[in-house]
Amino acid sequence: MADSVATTQTLVNITGLRKFYPLPRPLRDIVLLRPPPVVRACDDVNLTIRSGETLGLVGESGSGKTTVGRLLLALEQPDSGTIDFDGDQLLDLEKDELRGARRQIQWIFQDPLSSLNPRHSVLQAVAHPLRTHGEIRNVTDGLDRVVELLGTVGLPATIADRFPHELSGGQAQRVCIARAIALRPKLIVADEPTSALDVSVQAQILNLLKRLQQELGMAYLFISHDLRVISHLSERVAVMYAGQIVETGTTADVFGQPRHPYTKALLESVPRPKLRAEQRGQVIHGEALDVATVPAGCRFEPRCPYSQPECLDPQPLRSAGAKGRQVRCILDRIPEPVVGGRRSVSGDREEGV
């Protein structure tokens, strides 16, 4: 797998991406002409996605994962940075050119029912992108195509006349997936697509996404806080904290031997009831970072058990081995913490996270 990933063509190359959101200022700050505080939702993000692969983007809620997805789809304009998609600079495209590029990038939302128009039937919802991009003249002309797409995602043709309120969560998400693949895109941004579903339905949707990727050759940017889902679906993973990527690499390398303390703590926070208390990993102490008041150095430093004076300086991503492994940390190796009178054994972690 590693060799095939290494030789696959790069589809998306994101470099130096930044997006800051200004916050309201109190009257005193306005009078004193103080600059408004900003939320650094996305700060110097660098990512690559290769054709046909799944890149998992993980991190706590509020870490900036969804902002990266919205910038990639050009739903918002970044403050700085570049997004190269299949040889085109998305941020430099004119309106008509961007419209053409967008058909190659589709989105699967977290809540399928809220992402469907309650006044549109399943037929209208799935046919919408086909009409928008001129592949069909009207909904009636697209009936056969819609029925085919519904069959591809495991839904019967009879569901085409139903409305969103008549669908289960799993059915609604399958409709959204059918709509997303209607134009045969090269990339799908999936933002927590299973978090609103029952556990049994989650597995079905994940297996469906894997099958569609094999059949259609699409790439996924899979955004999730569920490490087990990322482990199941992704070849490579990027870990995000407080608007920055802190570690990237193959999923096997990052999950098997984390190089950033935040990654390690995130992995060890996954519940493992079989482990004894003294075998369980380190807990992340302190509050999540307020991204409106970030430190100049490592953003995880206030919560890091391995903090050193050098961590107060800015920490760029650096190479950390083969296969594109990168880490934003001064440590070459994370020390094993002493727990219960002995050092914890990383091998005590269950396989598959």
Side-chain angles (χ1 to χ4, degrees), residues 17-21 67 70-81 83 90-93 98 102:
L17 205 60
R18 284 187 170 90
K19 182 64 178 180
F20 297 171
Y21 295 97
T67 299
R70 291 181 61 83
L71 294 173
L72 178 54
L73 270 76
L75 298 177
E76 296 187 47
Q77 287 294 311
D79 299 324
S80 62
I83 303 175
L90 287 186
L91 305 181
D92 296 336
L93 297 180
L98 181 59
R102 272 180 171 162

Side-chain angles (χ1 to χ4, degrees), residues 17-23 38-45 57 60-71 76 79 240-245 290-294 299:
L17 205 60
R18 284 187 170 90
K19 182 64 178 180
F20 297 171
Y21 295 97
L23 295 173
V38 295
V39 173
R40 299 170 182 264
C42 179
D43 192 358
D44 192 27
V45 168
L57 185 58
E60 294 173 306
S61 296
S63 60
K65 305 185 300 296
T66 297
T67 299
V68 172
R70 291 181 61 83
L71 294 173
E76 296 187 47
D79 299 324
M240 199 165 185
Y241 180 75
Q244 290 186 330
I245 302 297
D290 181 1
V291 288
T293 56
V294 299
R299 296 188 179 178

Side-chain angles (χ1 to χ4, degrees), residues 7-8 20 25 33 68-69 74 78 90 122 130 135 152 168 172 193 234-235 240 261 276 286 297 321 332:
T7 57
T8 303
F20 297 171
R25 289 185 295 172
L33 300 179
V68 172
L90 287 186
V122 170
L130 298 172
E135 294 203 4
T152 301
S168 68
S234 304
E235 290 91 9
M240 199 165 185
R276 298 187 301 272
D332 292 325

Side-chain angles (χ1 to χ4, degrees), residues 46-126:
N46 301 301
L47 285 176
T48 59
I49 306 173
R50 302 182 178 101
S51 298
E53 80 162 352
T54 299
L55 173 68
L57 185 58
V58 302
E60 294 173 306
S61 296
S63 60
K65 305 185 300 296
T66 297
T67 299
V68 172
R70 291 181 61 83
L71 294 173
L72 178 54
L73 270 76
L75 298 177
E76 296 187 47
Q77 287 294 311
D79 299 324
S80 62
T82 62
I83 303 175
D84 184 292
F85 176 76
D86 201 24
D88 292 325
Q89 287 293 330
L90 287 186
L91 305 181
D92 296 336
L93 297 180
E94 299 294 334
K95 186 175 181 180
D96 291 342
E97 296 173 321
L98 181 59
R99 180 187 179 93
R102 272 180 171 162
R103 67 175 294 154
Q104 300 296 336
I105 312 174
Q106 296 295 312
W107 188 296
I108 300 174
F109 295 91
Q110 179 175 357
D111 186 351
L113 290 173
S114 66
S115 68
L116 294 172
N117 190 326
R119 297 185 178 183
H120 286 181
S121 67
V122 170
L123 173 60
Q124 292 171 303
V126 178

Side-chain angles (χ1 to χ4, degrees), residues 200-214:
S200 59
V201 180
Q202 287 182 12
Q204 296 172 16
I205 296 299
L206 291 176
N207 290 333
L208 171 63
L209 290 173
K210 290 191 72 172
R211 176 174 63 81
L212 291 175
Q213 185 178 46
Q214 293 169 356

Side-chain angles (χ1 to χ4, degrees), residues 10-41:
T10 297
L11 179 65
V12 179
N13 188 25
I14 297 174
T15 306
L17 205 60
R18 284 187 170 90
K19 182 64 178 180
F20 297 171
Y21 295 97
L23 295 173
R25 289 185 295 172
L27 180 60
R28 183 178 63 179
D29 287 354
I30 296 176
V31 172
L32 296 176
L33 300 179
R34 292 173 178 169
V38 295
V39 173
R40 299 170 182 264

